[in-house]
């Protein structure tokens, strides 16, 4: 089993920044990618960003240029740096990890609330 612990959410004013962390622990076998989805009230879950074990990244267009994803492989931790935050970024952010040593291979964090408001 892989456990993911998220941190870094909170309340921030428009234009501000937050940094989310997602730390994997437990019986890690072969994590090949990590990333985040988010879900705003009344909306479907939305892909945000992912980073692979080759440090290749993919970021959704709505946040591209404002968000950056990175990872520390040795620490099994991913980071989502969120700059120039907008009210529409308000959501619960869920981190995930794909560990291909398991079936099913998708693991999820508990979610962290990000609120952008003045």
């Amino acid at each position: 089993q892989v456990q993911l612990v998220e941190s870094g959410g909170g309340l921030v004013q428009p234009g501000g920044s937050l940094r989310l962390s997602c730390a994997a622990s437990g019986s890690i076998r072969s994590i090949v990618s990590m990333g985040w989805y988010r879900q705003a009230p009344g909306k479907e879950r939305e892909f945000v960003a992912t980073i692979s074990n080759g440090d290749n990244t993919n970021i959704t267009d709505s946040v591209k240029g404002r968000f950056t994803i990175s990872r520390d492989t040795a620490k099994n931790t991913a980071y989502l740096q969120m700059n120039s935050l907008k009210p529409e970024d308000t959501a619960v952010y869920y981190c995930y990890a794909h560990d291909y040593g398991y079936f099913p291979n998708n693991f999820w964090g508990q979610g962290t609330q990000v609120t952008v408001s003045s």
Side-chain angles (χ1 to χ4, degrees):
Q1 310 87 349
V2 177
Q3 293 81 45
L4 302 178
V5 177
E6 300 185 57
S7 62
L11 175 65
V12 66
Q13 293 184 348
S17 298
L18 287 172
R19 189 192 192 203
L20 305 185
S21 298
C22 179
S25 63
S27 299
I28 297 170
R29 295 177 179 177
S30 183
I31 292 178
V32 297
S33 65
M34 300 180 69
W36 275 267
Y37 282 72
R38 67 185 182 185
Q39 188 165 21
K43 295 186 177 181
E44 294 183 346
R45 186 183 64 175
E46 176 189 27
F47 170 77
V48 178
T50 189
I51 183 166
S52 73
N53 57 358
D55 289 337
N56 296 313
T57 61
N58 189 25
I59 302 175
T60 193
D61 287 343
S62 63
V63 304
K64 201 165 190 175
R66 300 187 295 118
F67 291 12
T68 302
I69 189 168
S70 61
R71 73 187 304 193
D72 186 333
T73 303
K75 296 181 178 179
N76 294 308
T77 301
Y79 306 94
L80 186 67
Q81 179 67 46
M82 305 185 295
N83 299 324
S84 302
L85 283 162
K86 303 175 180 180
E88 50 263 45
D89 295 318
T90 296
V92 178
Y93 285 69
Y94 298 93
C95 77
Y96 68 87
H98 293 296
D99 189 328
Y100 282 0
Y102 292 89
F103 183 82
N105 57 52
N106 198 25
F107 297 88
W108 291 91
Q110 79 281 7
T112 186
Q113 177 70 50
V114 172
T115 302
V116 184
S117 176
S118 59

